[in-house]
Each structure stands twice: as structure tokens, then as C-alpha cells.
Amino acid sequence: MSENDAGEARDGEGRQPPDAWLAQRVQAGESAAFEELARRYLRPVYAVVGSLLRERADVEDAAQETFLRALDHIRTFDASRPFAPWLYTIARNTARNRRKAASRHRSEPVGSVVVAGDDPDPEQRTEQAEIRSLVATALDELPDQQRTAFRMFDIEDYSAQEIATLMGINAGTVRAHVHHARRALRERLGPLLGPGADQ
Amino acid sequence: MTEHTPDPLPREWLPQPVGPAHQVDEALWEARLQRLTAAAEPALARLRAPAISWWSVLAAWWRPMVSAAALGTAAAALALLLHLPPPPRGTAKPPAGTATLSVVVGDGQPAALWVGLGAQADPALALIALQRGER
């Protein structure tokens, strides 16, 4: 396969090449294979680091750094094992390292942007921003795996199976993480939710 | 899990998504991808380059021509060493007025000064030494 057709590679039935095959091409330094893998996993990686970091600039940097670190260690990747959990581990560790240093930087938090036109009333908009801030703080207190599963399921709209594949766990565990996260958040935000907050 | 899973929180309370829900911002994702692939190029180039290990460098150096030249140089150096005249023995007397090693070692002892420098050391000392018959 030449340098520029890894992304176009399809078998006779039009299926995309498997991750392991692309990873092996990346081990040989093929740019097109790397681009194809990055295209597949850019959004999930952003979602993972976005679940662990609040600052938008940190999320951008950590997501890019995840792929560069993966590239630095690609020769240690065992192609007989799934690629996604390997990349997820790098993303999680990169975000954790960033989080340690995050207190030094203050910029626009992820999700703090209120979309213009959603709610024209300034008072309500301020209230929404405060609620979002409370939710973000409550999310920070969840264990990392719960937070990632919750974010990807409830915010990014990934399926439990997609999340499970990425995290290297089974779908039932993902649902359990989401269950515990929702319950913890509802307990924390009970007064905001009003009667029946535990439902 | 037999417990009822709580309903999701109201969407407007949650942080903004960065992934599938924002399909509209394709240009942003493309820009992120391009930035990433550009940053990755040096690492990919390193992966493409053949690995250089210390033993491969040694093997490249250890070629017949190189080893023959090294052996020739070593033989010439050995022959030169064998044919050099031996250094002169240290039996000659030092020039007059030169402090000998025994004077230095004697650390100012009169006898050592006398043996080393003779009458030049001190006339009075020379007299004492002569009287004792040390010279």
C-alpha cells in the first residue's frame, strides 16, 4: 500500500481497514495510516480528555498530546490487542497529568459558553451559567471512569457499546458507571431539581 | 443492576459536547486534524528512518580495510617504541647552585644542606661540618 491510500483502503465489501492493521502501518511511519486513525479517534479522545479537564485550552492541548504520545510509543503497541483501549489509557493519563498542572492556568472552561439565542433573558442565562458551574463542580468529584462514561453517554451521545470498546470494559459496566454518576449528581444537585430529584 | 437508573439531567445544565452532537462544526474538526497531522510528521519521519544501533555502527567500522589500517598503525607504533634510545640515567651531578632533591627532603637539616650545597650553604655551617668530619 502506498503512502496516500491507507485511508482509502477497503476490502471487497467496502469495509474500512481494522485499527490494528493501521497501527502496524503507523509503526512503519505511514502518514496516511496515522491520519486515518486520528480521524477515527479524534472525537472520542476529545470527549475523554474533555471529561477530565475543565479548561478548553487544556482539552485542546491534551487531545493533541495524546496522539503525539501514542505515536512516540507506537512501537510498543501489540497489534494482537485492541487499539482503542490502548489509546484511551494514553488519553486518560495525559489528561490526569494536565489536570495536575491545570491550576496554574485559567481560561474559558469547557461548556461554559452559552449559545446565543438559546435563552435571550439575561437573568435566566446567568442562572443557567450558575447551574452549569455547579454541575461541572459535581462532575469533578466523580471518579474518573464514571465521569468519562457519563460524559460520553449523556453529553456526547455515544452508545454504551462504543464507550465500552473505547475504555476496554463491557457495556454493562459502562451503564453502571452512568447510573452511579447520575445518582451522585442528582444527590448533589437535589435542591435545584426539586421534589423527586432521585428519579 | 436491579436499581432503577435515574433520568438524565436536563441537557441545558450539562457542559457543551465536543463530539458527535456537534456535527455542524466539521471545519473545526478538520482544522484540528490538520494541526495534529502536521505536528505528527517529525515523529512519523523518525519511524520511517532505519534504526541505528551501536552494534551496527561497530559492524560498519570493523571492515577488513579499516582493521588492516588499524593493525598497521599499531605495529608502526610498537616498532618506534622498541627502537627509541633508552633515557639517560640520572647519575650526573647537578649544576652548581642547584638545590638537589636531598636538600628539599632534608627540610632545612644542617647535614642535608651541607651534603647538598657544600660550603655555599653557609660558611659557619661548613666549618661545623668539617669539625665533625662529615665531609
Side-chain angles (χ1 to χ4, degrees), chain A residues 11-64:
Chain A
D11 63 11
E13 295 171 11
R15 286 179 297 208
Q16 291 186 337
D19 291 348
W21 185 85
L22 287 171
Q24 284 178 315
R25 308 317 303 159
V26 175
Q27 285 173 337
E30 276 192 19
S31 302
F34 175 76
E35 186 173 337
E36 176 63 16
L37 270 180
R39 196 177 290 279
R40 271 181 205 181
Y41 287 103
L42 197 59
R43 294 177 194 218
V45 164
Y46 265 82
V48 169
V49 299
S51 72
L52 301 173
L53 298 166
R54 287 181 69 176
E55 307 294 331
R56 189 177 292 278
D58 283 336
V59 172
E60 289 285 345
D61 291 347
Q64 300 268 324

Side-chain angles (χ1 to χ4, degrees), chain B:
Chain B
M1 183 167 55
T2 55
E3 217 176 329
H4 172 67
T5 298
D7 292 335
L9 291 172
R11 193 77 189 213
E12 63 273 18
W13 289 10
L14 299 174
Q16 296 280 335
V18 296
H22 266 203
Q23 296 290 353
V24 287
D25 212 354
E26 282 300 324
L28 174 65
W29 286 107
E30 196 57 34
R32 282 170 169 165
L33 183 68
Q34 293 311 315
R35 186 158 63 96
L36 175 60
T37 51
E41 197 45 48
L44 287 163
R46 281 197 298 276
L47 288 168
R48 282 194 292 272
I52 298 174
S53 57
W54 65 269
W55 52 265
S56 64
V57 173
L58 187 65
W61 174 79
W62 193 252
R63 287 179 179 142
M65 289 296 286
V66 176
S67 59
L71 279 174
T73 306
L78 187 64
L80 196 62
L81 277 173
L82 291 174
H83 285 90
L84 277 177
R89 302 256 174 189
T91 51
K93 288 193 78 172
T98 305
T100 61
L101 186 60
S102 63
V103 175
V104 178
V105 173
D107 197 22
Q109 289 297 317
L113 283 171
W114 176 246
V115 170
L117 298 176
Q120 291 173 358
D122 190 312
L125 187 63
L127 186 61
I128 294 166
L130 282 170
Q131 286 171 350
R132 289 185 183 176
E134 288 182 5
R135 179 121 186 185

